[in-house]
Amino acid sequence: MTVFMELVRGLADWRRWAWLGWNDVRLANRRSMLGMWWPTMSIGIFVFGVGLLFASVMERDLYDFLPHIALGWTAWSLISNGVVQGTLCFIMAKHVLLEAVLPINAVPLRALVKLAMNYVLSLSVIVAVFAFVQRPVGLEALLIVPGLLINILTLHGAMLFLGILATRLRDLQMLVEAGMRLAFFMTPIIWMPMVGNEGGRGALIDFNPFFYMMEIMRSPVLGEIPSLSHYGVAIGLMLGSNLMALLVFKIFKSRLVYWL
């Protein structure tokens, strides 16, 4: 079986990894009062707490600033959790892989289902924010769907790539976590994009891949259609991450189980 066909076999087994992902969400905070809504509550506390604080400190208008933070933080939670969990997905699924219960590709797909469902639940925070600032939402917001799909596919490649490498290089997890913490401050989440172009700081945006991944989900809800260049970079990241994952998978798939 070729590497490509093996990945396709994992995708075709969607009923199994989709159900396992949904079950992970359901059991994540089992027997707690809010259950699977706890991650959403955490996002809401951050958005309103940090948003109101920074709007006051930076003298920003809540009408623009709070939706900016809400959309940015929800998108960042999806992206950063996907990248970080990618380094752990195969290690945490050791018993599944050793028993050959699932195709290898189904492991990151299972994790992506959980991430996507948590993101969908977090949209309730965005609804609350827009209601709070009394800001209407136009039909452009529907473009969040293709943006989400592009990012999910990008994360699929990133998780498969990082997951295989991190199984062999266990220090990679700590390096990725540290890098994502730094990337958070370099990405316009708690600061507005136009601020980054002041004082020669435009490189924080122009050469930041996370900015393009976030903008194709944030701009539509703010009433702006993302430019073709934003979609071009985002699609390029999607293709690049999956091609790199395919290459690493082809080279190291036979050793993955032994590294566990």
Side-chain angles (χ1 to χ4, degrees):
M1 180 182 296
T2 64
V3 173
F4 180 76
M5 290 305 298
E6 189 167 348
L7 293 179
V8 171
R9 185 170 69 93
L11 287 170
D13 196 18
W14 65 270
R15 290 181 179 85
R16 186 154 30 166
W17 50 257
W19 182 87
L20 289 171
W22 157 251
N23 197 52
D24 290 340
V25 174
R26 188 175 62 86
L27 297 178
N29 295 283
R30 187 181 181 185
R31 300 180 66 182
S32 63
M33 291 183 63
L34 295 179
M36 63 183 181
W37 287 95
W38 265 117
T40 303
M41 178 63 71
S42 176
I43 290 174
I45 293 172
F46 178 91
V47 167
F48 279 97
V50 174
L52 295 174
L53 173 63
F54 274 71
S56 176
V57 172
M58 301 170 64
E59 297 182 350
R60 297 286 179 180
D61 185 3
L62 280 177
Y63 186 83
D64 293 321
F65 190 67
L66 201 57
H68 169 82
I69 284 190
L71 290 163
W73 182 245
T74 51
W76 177 257
S77 297
L78 170 70
I79 296 168
S80 63
N81 286 335
V83 173
V84 173
Q85 290 184 28
T87 61
L88 294 170
C89 63
F90 290 118
I91 297 173
M92 299 298 293
K94 175 180 178 179
H95 62 287
V96 176
L97 295 174
L98 291 178
E99 295 174 3
V101 176
L102 288 175
I104 292 177
N105 191 38
V107 174
L109 289 170
R110 172 184 179 178
L112 278 173
V113 170
K114 179 180 179 181
L115 291 172
M117 293 190 65
N118 282 333
Y119 177 78
V120 171
L121 292 175
S122 71
L123 293 179
S124 60
V125 175
I126 296 175
V127 173
V129 165
F130 275 74
F132 179 76
V133 299
Q134 299 182 1
R135 179 167 178 165
V137 177
L139 293 177
E140 300 90 347
L142 295 176
L143 290 175
I144 194 176
V145 176
L148 176 61
L149 292 176
I150 291 173
N151 284 330
I152 289 293
L153 292 174
T154 303
L155 290 174
H156 168 262
M159 294 179 75
L160 186 59
F161 174 78
L162 292 172
I164 294 174
L165 292 184
T167 305
R168 179 65 179 89
L169 307 171
R170 298 301 173 100
D171 293 332
L172 184 60
Q173 175 198 347
M174 280 65 76
L175 291 174
V176 169
E177 289 180 354
M180 294 306 292
R181 282 194 291 268
L182 177 61
F184 168 77
F185 294 101
M186 298 175 63
T187 306
I189 301 170
I190 58 176
W191 52 275
M192 306 290 283
M194 66 281 295
V195 176
N197 289 320
E198 297 174 0
R201 289 176 289 175
L204 291 177
I205 294 176
D206 296 337
F207 301 103
N208 187 340
F210 300 117
F211 167 73
Y212 299 96
M213 294 176 69
M214 286 176 40
E215 279 301 294
I216 61 175
M217 291 196 297
R218 178 166 56 188
S219 293
V221 186
L222 293 176
E224 304 171 4
I225 298 178
S227 65
L228 292 178
S229 61
H230 286 176
Y231 279 118
V233 173
I235 293 173
L237 291 170
M238 178 190 71
L239 296 175
S241 67
N242 282 280
L243 287 175
M244 291 175 61
L246 187 62
L247 178 62
V248 170
F249 185 66
K250 180 179 181 180
I251 296 174
F252 298 116
K253 70 166 186 173
S254 59
R255 310 176 195 177
L256 179 62
V257 175
Y258 298 100
W259 289 342
L260 294 172

